[in-house]
């Protein structure tokens, strides 16, 4: 409400700086939005839908989800505005490489305005943070992150017909004392640059004359909290940086360097195949890194990190020179506030349905790390499904009746297909035989329920990865592009509860595998079809996949150039 009051004050304000802002905006690219606003002092950016004849789409965020949505959206059908405090897209999988100078920060970012230019400038971009979403008036309230000393107010609002929330997540400290004050995070490009400078600082401090050996050892103790893919990759990068490059320029402190990975679970990389997880642990051990599994961090001070051993409850403290906190993600305040308004306040993460629509809110979609698909259980609808399938109202389903609905069931409830795969039943007819047996001709509701009862156990939430975010962005843009066509000719599965068909097919995630770079030109990978690959050849696969996945030829050249430079000259240790 504070923001709303603030904004209504702003809307009443008709001051000169606003006029200047209008002029500046127009001269820098003809932003019609301001020209059409009702009064000079009105900071709401309103495009009249009747004049444009296009629905207004507002996108929050220029990360994986937002950019993938924008790249594939048919902008001739929509009036698109993008709000993000970050005026570039960052290729996050290469952030760990930026921490050690393997690639430069500028090589992994693409300016948003370059992308807009490619779309003939038909998308408006506002460098600002969304502070509040008001789903009732269909408005968002924003504050520009541009230098406060420049003239003009930084606050404005936008109206939308459709809102796409793709503002990612923030670091999660689990309220652990001292983490915010004393740890580094690895979420943004600036974080990676800060880590790079701190690593160099630790070495420069450790070689100063007059320090005791213990002090040198403390300064050169690098601790990574979190043994997930990001933490492990950073540890591996750091190890390579230290032992390939830094020990050559700081030989006197070589023996004082220590890298520790702390993991609360029993293994690092525990979301990967067991073989990868144990390969990583063995490699880290061979490289001289310490892996402390089963330790929960209780607090972090500027000098020490305090933990509890999970098995024995024993308290353990270790000194550190630098701590990088990499333990997962949490919900951003603007999303939390929005969740409270739409009765999702008790949830940890914003719930969306299989069409990526925010539950309990019309015309708002959410993608990527900021939301999770709250998949519907097949057992919740089992009676409606049975009723819809039992065309002759006989109280039993024949083989034909079952066959008629099973395809729709598998599309609407993807867990059913996963269940079939887990039982190695690849054809619908195999499933029918499994349910009916070879002789049985009909099933009643109880038998039908028991056939599908185990399917919901296959439901898992999607991981917070770039792969999921990018696929969701692409899926949603396709839905937007086909909106008119699908309103007339729905393409989705049948609606078992209310009748008719869904307009679109629900979102289906295709897992294309994942990499875990482990340093020393070795990478482990989980590839589609449950393949596991580890070693140097996988590192080359990693290079080629990551080069091909760059969002532009410019970044592709820069990244490959950086890798080549690193091979020839090593990493740069300057503190800039
Ligand atoms: P983001 O990419 O985080 O983008 C969010 C956007 O929203 C940003 O532009 C941000 O500025 C903007 N924003 C934030 N707040 C607001 C606001 N209030 N208003 C408007 N805009 C806002 N995934 C993989 O699949 N493979 C990997 O190898 C991999 N490696 C990773 C390594 C690191 C170091 C990190 C941090 C992540 C990695 N990930 C990886 C995960 C991946 O980066 C995320 O899952 C992905 O970025 C999520 O995309 P997103 O669009 O939801 O959010």
């Amino acid at each position: 409400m504070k923001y709303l009051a603030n904004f209504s004050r702003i809307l009443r304000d008709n001051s000169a700086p606003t006029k200047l802002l209008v002029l500046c905006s127009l001269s820098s690219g003809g932003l019609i939005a301001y020209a059409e606003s009702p009064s000079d002092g009105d900071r709401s950016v309103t495009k009249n839908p009747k004049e444009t004849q296009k629905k207004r789409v507002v996108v929050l965020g220029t990360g994986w989800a937002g950019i993938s949505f924008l790249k594939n959206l048919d902008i001739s059908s929509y009036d698109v505005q993008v709000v993000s405090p970050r005026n570039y897209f960052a290729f996050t999988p290469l952030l760990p490489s930026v921490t050690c100078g393997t690639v430069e920060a500028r090589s992994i970012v693409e300016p948003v305005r370059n992308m807009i230019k490619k779309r003939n400038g038909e998308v408006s971009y506002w460098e600002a943070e969304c502070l509040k979403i008001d789903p009732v008036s269909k408005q968002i309230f924003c504050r520009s992150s541009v230098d406060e000393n420049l003239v003009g107010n930084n606050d404005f609002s936008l109206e939308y017909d459709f809102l796409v929330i793709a503002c990612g997540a923030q670091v999660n400290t689990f309220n652990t004392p001292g983490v915010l004050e004393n740890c580094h995070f690895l979420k943004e490009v600036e974080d990676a640059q800060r880590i790079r400078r701190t690593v160099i600082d630790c070495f420069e401090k450790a070689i100063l004359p007059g320090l005791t050996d213990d002090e040198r050892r403390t300064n050169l103790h690098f601790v990574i909290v979190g043994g997930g893919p990001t933490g492990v990759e950073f540890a591996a990068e750091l190890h390579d940086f230290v032992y390939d490059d830094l020990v050559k320029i700081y030989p006197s402190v070589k023996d004082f360097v220590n890298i520790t990975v702390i993991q609360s679970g029993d293994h690092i990389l525990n979301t990967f195949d067991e073989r990868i997880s144990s390969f990583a642990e063995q490699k880290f051990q061979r490289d001289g890194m310490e892996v402390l599994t089963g330790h929960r961090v209780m607090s972090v001070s500027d000098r020490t990190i305090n933990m509890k051993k999970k098995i024995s409850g024993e308290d353990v403290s270790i000194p550190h020179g630098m701590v990088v906190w990499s333990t997962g993600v949490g919900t951003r305040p603007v999303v939390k506030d929005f969740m409270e308004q739409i009765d999702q306040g008790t949830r940890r993460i914003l719930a969306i349905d299989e069409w990526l629509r925010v539950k309990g809110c019309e015309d708002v979609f959410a993608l990527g790390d900021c939301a999770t698909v709250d998949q519907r259980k097949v057992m919740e609808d089992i009676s409606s499904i049975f009723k819809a399938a039992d065309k002759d109202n006989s109280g039993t389903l024949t083989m034909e009746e079952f066959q008629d609905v099973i395809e729709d069931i598998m599309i609407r409830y993807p867990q059913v297909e996963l269940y079939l795969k887990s039982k190695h039943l690849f054809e619908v007819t195999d499933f029918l035989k499994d349910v009916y047996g070879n002789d049985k001709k009909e099933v009643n509701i109880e038998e039908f329920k028991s056939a599908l009862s185990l399917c919901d156990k296959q439901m898992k939430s999607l991981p917070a990865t770039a792969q999921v975010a990018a696929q969701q962005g692409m899926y949603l843009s396709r839905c937007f592009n086909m909106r008119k066509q699908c309103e007339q000719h729905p393409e989705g599965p049948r609606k078992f509860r209310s009748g008719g068909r869904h307009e679109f097919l629900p979102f289906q995630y295709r897992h294309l595998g994942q990499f875990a770079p482990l340093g020393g030109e070795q990478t482990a990978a989980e590839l589609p079809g449950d393949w596991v690959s580890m070693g140097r050849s996988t590192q080359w696969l990693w290079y080629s996949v990551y080069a091909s996945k760059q969002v532009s030829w410019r970044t592709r050249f820069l990244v490959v150039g950086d890798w080549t430079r690193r091979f020839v000259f090593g990493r740069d240790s300057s503190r800039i």
Side-chain angles (χ1 to χ4, degrees):
M1 284 320 284
K2 199 176 85 196
Y3 288 123
L4 286 174
N6 196 13
F7 276 96
S8 59
R9 184 183 55 74
I10 291 162
L11 295 182
R12 285 196 305 274
D13 178 2
N14 201 9
S15 58
T18 316
K19 289 178 191 163
L20 194 58
L21 184 67
V22 174
L23 287 174
C24 294
S25 306
L26 285 168
S27 62
S28 67
L31 300 173
I32 316 149
Y34 276 103
E36 287 177 351
S37 60
S39 79
D40 282 352
D42 191 341
R43 289 186 187 102
S44 63
V45 183
T46 312
K47 293 194 183 180
N48 186 342
K50 277 196 186 131
E51 275 177 40
T52 59
Q53 292 297 316
K54 290 178 182 177
K55 293 274 186 195
R56 295 159 303 180
V57 179
V58 173
V59 182
L60 303 184
T62 50
W64 281 96
I67 290 297
S68 154
F69 173 74
L70 289 167
K71 269 185 107 173
N72 299 292
L73 183 69
D74 174 8
I75 45 173
S76 62
S77 317
Y78 296 98
D79 165 14
V80 186
Q81 305 189 65
V82 184
V83 175
S84 174
R86 208 169 73 187
N87 76 350
Y88 56 83
F89 164 82
F91 191 88
T92 46
L94 285 180
L95 272 183
S97 304
V98 174
T99 58
C100 300
T102 309
V103 296
E104 291 299 327
R106 286 200 178 271
S107 306
I108 65 159
V109 305
E110 183 67 15
V112 172
R113 297 215 178 264
N114 275 7
M115 300 183 183
I116 290 176
K117 203 170 73 191
K118 285 187 193 146
R119 313 226 62 189
N120 299 326
E122 286 179 65
V123 174
S124 304
Y125 166 69
W126 317 107
E127 190 178 314
E129 191 179 348
C130 171
L131 301 176
K132 184 159 189 83
I133 299 167
D134 180 3
V136 179
S137 66
K138 288 192 149 186
Q139 281 191 86
I140 60 160
F141 299 94
C142 312
R143 180 161 298 155
S144 163
S145 31
V146 177
D147 190 349
E148 294 252 328
N149 291 325
L150 292 172
V151 288
N153 203 302
N154 276 350
D155 295 337
F156 62 95
S157 65
L158 299 175
E159 289 176 3
Y160 64 83
D161 294 308
F162 298 116
L163 178 66
V164 177
I165 307 175
C167 58
Q170 62 182 21
V171 290
N172 196 349
T173 64
F174 301 98
N175 295 324
T176 312
V179 172
L180 275 181
E181 299 83 356
N182 301 305
C183 294
H184 285 265
F185 303 100
L186 184 45
K187 189 86 184 71
E188 304 290 341
V189 175
E190 293 86 349
D191 297 334
Q193 290 172 311
R194 220 170 290 128
I195 289 175
R196 184 175 174 182
R197 284 195 295 271
T198 308
V199 171
I200 303 296
D201 280 352
C202 290
F203 272 86
E204 289 295 345
K205 185 77 199 244
I207 58 156
L208 286 178
L211 267 75
T212 64
D213 283 358
D214 276 349
E215 285 169 336
R216 293 186 210 282
R217 206 165 277 120
T218 299
N219 287 330
L220 293 177
H221 188 196
F222 301 98
V223 181
I224 295 104
V225 183
T230 303
V232 165
E233 188 177 346
F234 169 66
E237 272 283 345
L238 182 63
H239 178 269
D240 283 0
F241 185 32
V242 169
Y243 291 97
D244 291 352
D245 302 287
L246 293 181
V247 294
K248 292 180 194 151
I249 39 185
Y250 303 96
S252 60
V253 290
K254 180 172 138 217
D255 297 332
F256 298 116
V257 183
N258 213 341
I259 299 174
T260 303
V261 179
I262 299 171
Q263 160 76 332
S264 62
D266 294 338
H267 295 282
I268 57 171
L269 293 181
N270 54 12
T271 54
F272 280 71
D273 187 285
E274 252 174 54
R275 285 166 288 177
I276 292 184
S277 162
S278 61
F279 179 78
E281 283 171 358
Q282 283 161 19
K283 176 164 190 316
F284 277 14
Q285 212 170 15
R286 277 199 308 274
D287 288 344
M289 287 192 254
E290 194 163 4
V291 178
L292 293 178
T293 53
H295 283 67
R296 181 176 292 280
V297 174
M298 305 309 289
S299 66
V300 183
S301 76
D302 57 346
R303 294 273 176 274
T304 55
I305 177 156
N306 309 306
M307 301 169 281
K308 208 175 250 316
K309 253 190 191 170
K310 275 168 85 178
I311 295 183
S312 59
E314 186 191 335
D315 291 323
V316 185
S317 280
I318 50 172
H320 67 80
M322 182 181 103
V323 182
V324 174
W325 186 268
S326 171
T327 59
V329 289
T331 302
R332 287 194 191 277
V334 62
V335 178
K336 198 86 204 137
D337 172 80
F338 173 58
M339 288 165 70
E340 268 151 27
Q341 294 180 63
I342 57 166
D343 290 337
Q344 288 202 22
T346 51
R347 291 185 56 95
R348 205 178 55 80
I349 178 162
L350 180 65
I352 49 177
D353 68 13
E354 295 85 341
W355 289 267
L356 313 186
R357 300 173 298 201
V358 171
K359 286 197 159 180
C361 194
E362 281 275 297
D363 300 328
V364 181
F365 301 82
L367 327 170
D369 285 4
C370 68
T372 185
V373 177
D374 194 10
Q375 214 169 296
R376 194 159 173 95
K377 290 184 177 153
V378 67
M379 290 313 279
E380 282 176 72
D381 296 339
I382 198 82
S383 305
S384 319
I385 297 173
F386 189 87
K387 212 164 147 205
D390 183 17
K391 282 190 188 142
D392 56 7
N393 284 325
S394 62
T396 56
L397 291 193
T398 63
M399 192 96 153
E400 288 71 32
E401 282 172 329
F402 198 135
Q403 186 126 31
D404 194 37
V405 286
I406 192 69
E407 295 283 351
D408 280 316
I409 294 177
M410 288 208 291
I411 298 170
R412 174 67 186 86
Y413 310 92
Q415 63 269 37
V416 175
E417 192 174 353
L418 290 177
Y419 172 72
L420 295 197
K421 276 192 189 151
S422 75
K423 291 197 77 188
H424 303 286
L425 300 169
F426 297 107
E427 297 290 332
V428 172
T429 44
D430 297 336
F431 184 38
L432 293 179
K433 275 190 201 144
D434 196 56
V435 175
Y436 286 90
N438 279 335
D439 307 326
K440 211 164 187 328
K441 297 283 176 264
E442 295 188 353
V443 281
N444 61 29
I445 176 101
E446 291 311 319
E447 288 165 321
F448 186 67
K449 275 185 188 169
S450 84
L452 294 171
S453 61
L454 297 175
C455 297
D456 289 329
K457 290 221 168 81
Q458 299 291 324
M459 292 193 334
K460 337 186 197 118
S461 46
L462 297 176
T465 62
Q467 217 179 124
V468 172
Q471 288 185 27
Q472 289 184 334
M474 192 178 297
Y475 162 83
L476 193 66
S477 62
R478 272 201 224 120
C479 294
F480 270 65
N481 296 346
M482 300 191 320
R483 198 170 54 90
K484 287 223 169 81
Q485 183 189 328
C486 289
E487 267 167 15
Q488 283 150 17
H489 307 288
E491 288 199 342
R494 76 174 73 176
K495 290 180 179 170
F496 290 109
R497 276 167 296 148
S498 56
R501 299 195 84 82
H502 290 278
E503 285 175 7
F504 306 103
L505 291 172
F507 170 71
Q508 241 185 323
Y509 171 61
R510 281 186 56 228
H511 186 58
L512 302 173
Q514 53 183 344
F515 288 103
L518 300 172
E521 295 300 309
Q522 304 223 23
T523 285
E526 253 176 26
L527 302 169
D530 291 336
W531 273 48
V532 166
S533 164
M534 289 175 282
R536 281 174 193 275
S537 54
T538 319
Q539 175 75 30
W540 285 99
L541 182 65
W542 181 87
Y543 282 130
S544 49
V545 169
Y546 279 24
S548 72
K549 290 280 174 200
Q550 293 302 313
V551 286
S552 71
W553 279 102
R554 191 188 67 83
T555 55
R556 192 165 296 127
F557 273 117
L558 289 173
V559 164
V560 174
D562 285 349
W563 285 336
T564 316
R565 172 188 49 75
R566 203 271 294 166
F567 271 119
V568 180
F569 301 109
R571 298 168 185 88
D572 184 348
S573 65
S574 348
R575 196 193 169 281
I576 45 169

